Amino acid sequence: MCKGREPVAQLYFYYSAMNAGKSTALLQSSYNYNERGMRTLIFTAEIDNRYEQSKVTSRIGLSADARVFGPETDVSSVIIREHQQTPVHCVLIDECQFLTKAQVEQLCCIVDDIDIPVLCYGLRTDFKGELFSGSHYLLAWADKLVELKTICYCGRKASRVLRYDGQGRVMSDGAQIDIGGNEKYVSVCRKHYNEAIREVKAAEYRS
Protein backbone atom coordinates (compact mmCIF):
# COMPACT_ATOMS: atom_id res chain seq x y z
CA MET A 1 0.00 0.00 0.00
CA CYS A 2 1.19 3.51 -0.74
CA LYS A 3 2.52 5.20 2.42
CA GLY A 4 1.57 8.64 3.58
CA ARG A 5 -1.91 8.81 2.07
CA GLU A 6 -5.17 6.95 2.13
CA PRO A 7 -5.79 4.59 -0.82
CA VAL A 8 -8.16 5.95 -3.43
CA ALA A 9 -8.84 2.78 -5.42
CA GLN A 10 -12.19 1.03 -5.10
CA LEU A 11 -13.82 -2.22 -6.15
CA TYR A 12 -16.81 -1.64 -8.47
CA PHE A 13 -19.50 -4.12 -9.45
CA TYR A 14 -21.48 -3.16 -12.57
CA TYR A 15 -24.34 -5.65 -12.83
CA SER A 16 -27.39 -6.20 -15.01
CA ALA A 17 -29.53 -8.71 -16.85
CA MET A 18 -28.48 -9.97 -20.29
CA ASN A 19 -27.90 -7.52 -23.16
CA ALA A 20 -27.56 -4.37 -21.09
CA GLY A 21 -24.24 -3.39 -22.69
CA LYS A 22 -21.88 -4.57 -19.95
CA SER A 23 -19.02 -5.43 -22.31
CA THR A 24 -19.50 -2.19 -24.21
CA ALA A 25 -19.31 -0.23 -20.94
CA LEU A 26 -16.14 -2.12 -19.95
CA LEU A 27 -14.47 -1.39 -23.28
CA GLN A 28 -15.44 2.29 -23.03
CA SER A 29 -13.93 2.50 -19.54
CA SER A 30 -10.71 0.87 -20.75
CA TYR A 31 -10.58 3.26 -23.71
CA ASN A 32 -10.98 6.26 -21.40
CA TYR A 33 -7.96 5.14 -19.34
CA ASN A 34 -5.88 4.37 -22.42
CA GLU A 35 -6.71 7.74 -23.95
CA ARG A 36 -5.09 9.38 -20.94
CA GLY A 37 -1.94 7.30 -21.26
CA MET A 38 -2.92 4.84 -18.52
CA ARG A 39 -2.55 1.09 -18.82
CA THR A 40 -5.48 -1.25 -18.24
CA LEU A 41 -5.54 -4.98 -17.69
CA ILE A 42 -8.66 -6.79 -18.91
CA PHE A 43 -9.81 -10.26 -17.87
CA THR A 44 -12.63 -12.42 -19.21
CA ALA A 45 -13.91 -15.88 -18.31
CA GLU A 46 -12.37 -18.78 -20.22
CA ILE A 47 -15.74 -20.56 -20.11
CA ASP A 48 -17.34 -17.93 -22.36
CA ASN A 49 -16.71 -19.33 -25.85
CA ARG A 50 -19.21 -17.19 -27.80
CA TYR A 51 -16.45 -15.07 -29.32
CA GLU A 52 -12.72 -15.29 -29.90
CA GLN A 53 -10.92 -16.44 -26.76
CA SER A 54 -8.61 -13.95 -25.04
CA LYS A 55 -10.81 -11.07 -26.20
CA VAL A 56 -13.69 -9.11 -24.76
CA THR A 57 -16.19 -8.56 -27.56
CA SER A 58 -19.36 -6.50 -27.36
CA ARG A 59 -22.55 -7.09 -29.34
CA ILE A 60 -21.95 -3.88 -31.30
CA GLY A 61 -18.59 -5.14 -32.60
CA LEU A 62 -16.06 -3.51 -30.26
CA SER A 63 -13.32 -5.73 -28.86
CA ALA A 64 -10.06 -5.71 -26.90
CA ASP A 65 -7.41 -8.24 -25.92
CA ALA A 66 -7.89 -9.87 -22.52
CA ARG A 67 -6.41 -12.41 -20.14
CA VAL A 68 -8.68 -15.34 -19.42
CA PHE A 69 -9.49 -16.65 -15.96
CA GLY A 70 -10.80 -20.00 -14.81
CA PRO A 71 -11.67 -21.30 -11.34
CA GLU A 72 -8.02 -22.04 -10.56
CA THR A 73 -6.54 -18.76 -11.84
CA ASP A 74 -4.68 -16.71 -9.23
CA VAL A 75 -5.76 -13.34 -10.58
CA SER A 76 -3.83 -11.36 -7.98
CA SER A 77 -0.54 -12.99 -9.01
CA VAL A 78 -1.21 -12.15 -12.67
CA ILE A 79 -2.04 -8.53 -11.82
CA ILE A 80 0.96 -8.06 -9.52
CA ARG A 81 3.36 -9.58 -12.07
CA GLU A 82 2.01 -7.32 -14.83
CA HIS A 83 2.11 -4.28 -12.52
CA GLN A 84 5.75 -4.93 -11.65
CA GLN A 85 6.67 -5.03 -15.34
CA THR A 86 4.65 -1.97 -16.37
CA PRO A 87 2.35 -0.06 -13.99
CA VAL A 88 -1.32 -1.03 -14.26
CA HIS A 89 -3.75 1.81 -13.60
CA CYS A 90 -7.01 -0.14 -13.74
CA VAL A 91 -8.16 -3.78 -13.82
CA LEU A 92 -11.39 -4.64 -15.65
CA ILE A 93 -13.16 -7.99 -15.32
CA ASP A 94 -15.75 -9.14 -17.86
CA GLU A 95 -18.20 -11.97 -17.02
CA CYS A 96 -17.32 -11.48 -13.35
CA GLN A 97 -20.22 -13.66 -12.22
CA PHE A 98 -17.89 -16.60 -12.91
CA LEU A 99 -15.31 -15.47 -10.32
CA THR A 100 -14.85 -17.66 -7.27
CA LYS A 101 -15.04 -16.40 -3.70
CA ALA A 102 -11.23 -16.64 -3.47
CA GLN A 103 -10.80 -14.57 -6.64
CA VAL A 104 -13.10 -11.83 -5.35
CA GLU A 105 -11.00 -11.79 -2.17
CA GLN A 106 -7.88 -11.44 -4.34
CA LEU A 107 -9.40 -8.46 -6.15
CA CYS A 108 -10.19 -6.85 -2.79
CA CYS A 109 -6.51 -7.17 -1.89
CA ILE A 110 -5.44 -5.62 -5.20
CA VAL A 111 -7.63 -2.61 -4.41
CA ASP A 112 -6.66 -2.30 -0.76
CA ASP A 113 -2.98 -3.25 -0.82
CA ILE A 114 -1.80 -2.25 -4.32
CA ASP A 115 -4.22 0.68 -4.73
CA ILE A 116 -5.39 -0.30 -8.21
CA PRO A 117 -9.09 0.21 -8.99
CA VAL A 118 -10.94 -2.90 -10.14
CA LEU A 119 -14.08 -2.64 -12.30
CA CYS A 120 -16.16 -5.83 -12.51
CA TYR A 121 -18.95 -6.31 -15.06
CA GLY A 122 -21.38 -9.21 -15.04
CA LEU A 123 -24.76 -10.75 -14.35
CA ARG A 124 -26.29 -10.62 -10.91
CA THR A 125 -28.53 -13.70 -11.15
CA ASP A 126 -29.02 -16.75 -13.33
CA PHE A 127 -32.13 -17.91 -15.22
CA LYS A 128 -33.64 -19.22 -11.96
CA GLY A 129 -33.14 -15.90 -10.17
CA GLU A 130 -30.27 -17.30 -8.07
CA LEU A 131 -27.04 -15.42 -7.47
CA PHE A 132 -23.87 -16.53 -9.22
CA SER A 133 -20.92 -17.13 -6.87
CA GLY A 134 -18.91 -14.16 -8.11
CA SER A 135 -21.92 -11.87 -7.99
CA HIS A 136 -22.76 -13.02 -4.46
CA TYR A 137 -19.41 -11.92 -3.07
CA LEU A 138 -19.15 -8.78 -5.19
CA LEU A 139 -22.54 -7.65 -3.88
CA ALA A 140 -21.26 -8.29 -0.36
CA TRP A 141 -17.79 -6.75 -0.66
CA ALA A 142 -17.67 -4.20 -3.50
CA ASP A 143 -17.23 -0.54 -2.59
CA LYS A 144 -19.61 0.62 -5.32
CA LEU A 145 -22.60 -1.18 -6.84
CA VAL A 146 -23.86 0.15 -10.18
CA GLU A 147 -26.86 -1.29 -12.04
CA LEU A 148 -26.74 -1.16 -15.84
CA LYS A 149 -30.34 -1.18 -16.96
CA THR A 150 -32.05 -2.83 -19.91
CA ILE A 151 -35.73 -3.21 -20.64
CA CYS A 152 -38.30 -5.96 -21.04
CA TYR A 153 -40.39 -6.16 -24.22
CA CYS A 154 -43.19 -4.48 -22.23
CA GLY A 155 -41.03 -1.44 -21.46
CA ARG A 156 -40.44 -2.17 -17.77
CA LYS A 157 -36.94 -2.59 -16.37
CA ALA A 158 -35.64 -6.09 -17.10
CA SER A 159 -34.24 -7.70 -13.96
CA ARG A 160 -34.64 -11.42 -14.77
CA VAL A 161 -33.47 -13.75 -17.53
CA LEU A 162 -35.47 -16.49 -19.23
CA ARG A 163 -33.60 -19.45 -20.70
CA TYR A 164 -34.96 -21.26 -23.76
CA ASP A 165 -34.21 -24.76 -24.97
CA GLY A 166 -33.50 -25.76 -28.57
CA GLN A 167 -37.23 -25.88 -29.36
CA GLY A 168 -37.88 -22.36 -28.09
CA ARG A 169 -39.49 -23.47 -24.83
CA VAL A 170 -38.87 -21.68 -21.54
CA MET A 171 -36.78 -23.72 -19.11
CA SER A 172 -37.43 -23.69 -15.37
CA ASP A 173 -34.59 -26.01 -14.37
CA GLY A 174 -31.13 -27.08 -15.46
CA ALA A 175 -27.45 -26.39 -14.85
CA GLN A 176 -26.69 -22.86 -13.70
CA ILE A 177 -24.07 -22.27 -16.39
CA ASP A 178 -24.96 -22.76 -20.05
CA ILE A 179 -23.19 -20.28 -22.30
CA GLY A 180 -25.34 -18.63 -24.95
CA GLY A 181 -26.66 -15.41 -26.39
CA ASN A 182 -29.92 -14.13 -27.80
CA GLU A 183 -30.82 -17.56 -29.14
CA LYS A 184 -30.95 -18.93 -25.59
CA TYR A 185 -31.58 -16.03 -23.18
CA VAL A 186 -34.05 -13.15 -23.04
CA SER A 187 -34.09 -10.42 -20.40
CA VAL A 188 -37.54 -9.65 -19.01
CA CYS A 189 -39.18 -7.86 -16.09
CA ARG A 190 -40.12 -9.73 -12.91
CA LYS A 191 -43.82 -9.85 -13.89
CA HIS A 192 -43.25 -11.51 -17.26
CA TYR A 193 -40.60 -13.82 -15.82
CA ASN A 194 -43.01 -15.09 -13.19
CA GLU A 195 -45.81 -15.47 -15.74
CA ALA A 196 -43.57 -17.51 -18.05
CA ILE A 197 -42.39 -19.78 -15.23
CA ARG A 198 -45.96 -20.31 -13.99
CA GLU A 199 -46.97 -21.40 -17.50
CA VAL A 200 -44.07 -23.88 -17.59
CA LYS A 201 -45.01 -25.31 -14.19
CA ALA A 202 -48.67 -25.59 -15.20
CA ALA A 203 -47.73 -27.42 -18.40
CA GLU A 204 -45.52 -29.81 -16.44
CA TYR A 205 -48.36 -30.48 -14.00
CA ARG A 206 -50.86 -31.19 -16.80
CA SER A 207 -48.47 -33.64 -18.44
Side-chain angles (χ1 to χ4, degrees), residues 9-23:
Q10 292 185 311
L11 175 62
Y12 295 80
F13 180 28
Y14 295 87
Y15 65 90
S16 74
M18 292 281 291
N19 298 332
K22 295 180 296 297
S23 295

Side-chain angles (χ1 to χ4, degrees), residues 16-30:
S16 74
M18 292 281 291
N19 298 332
K22 295 180 296 297
S23 295
T24 301
L26 180 153
L27 292 168
Q28 180 65 60
S29 294
S30 179

Side-chain angles (χ1 to χ4, degrees), residues 69-166:
F69 69 86
E72 305 303 319
T73 304
D74 186 336
V75 293
S76 61
S77 292
V78 176
I79 295 167
I80 291 170
R81 182 172 63 250
E82 291 286 339
H83 186 59
Q84 289 173 340
Q85 294 174 357
T86 307
V88 173
H89 297 93
C90 183
V91 174
L92 303 104
I93 313 287
D94 195 35
E95 304 294 348
C96 65
Q97 69 268 16
F98 298 130
L99 292 166
T100 65
K101 177 183 178 181
Q103 288 167 335
V104 177
E105 288 177 323
Q106 292 168 15
L107 294 175
C108 289
C109 291
I110 291 297
V111 171
D112 296 339
D113 299 338
I114 314 298
D115 199 20
I116 299 174
V118 177
L119 283 56
C120 297
Y121 297 78
L123 301 174
R124 181 175 58 173
T125 57
D126 63 16
F127 75 108
K128 291 185 282 190
E130 303 288 340
L131 290 171
F132 287 95
S133 174
S135 306
H136 174 96
Y137 292 104
L138 285 165
L139 285 168
W141 298 337
D143 299 299
K144 294 287 179 65
L145 303 174
V146 182
E147 183 178 17
L148 302 176
K149 296 180 177 63
T150 189
I151 59 171
C152 176
Y153 60 84
C154 70
R156 294 186 179 94
K157 184 182 79 170
S159 59
R160 299 289 183 90
V161 177
L162 290 172
R163 179 192 287 178
Y164 291 82
D165 64 15

Side-chain angles (χ1 to χ4, degrees), residues 51-65:
Y51 304 104
E52 184 179 351
Q53 197 170 40
S54 301
K55 278 188 178 294
V56 169
T57 302
S58 73
R59 289 182 297 119
I60 63 174
L62 302 175
S63 66
D65 293 334

Side-chain angles (χ1 to χ4, degrees), residues 139-204:
L139 285 168
W141 298 337
D143 299 299
K144 294 287 179 65
L145 303 174
V146 182
E147 183 178 17
L148 302 176
K149 296 180 177 63
T150 189
I151 59 171
C152 176
Y153 60 84
C154 70
R156 294 186 179 94
K157 184 182 79 170
S159 59
R160 299 289 183 90
V161 177
L162 290 172
R163 179 192 287 178
Y164 291 82
D165 64 15
Q167 287 70 50
R169 296 171 299 198
V170 172
M171 298 176 63
S172 63
D173 202 6
Q176 183 180 55
I177 298 174
D178 187 7
I179 301 300
N182 294 340
E183 81 290 349
K184 189 174 292 185
Y185 295 99
V186 175
S187 294
V188 295
C189 66
R190 182 177 58 230
K191 175 183 176 180
H192 287 114
Y193 176 87
N194 288 333
E195 287 181 354
I197 296 301
R198 281 197 294 268
E199 289 179 7
V200 171
K201 296 294 186 181
E204 291 174 350

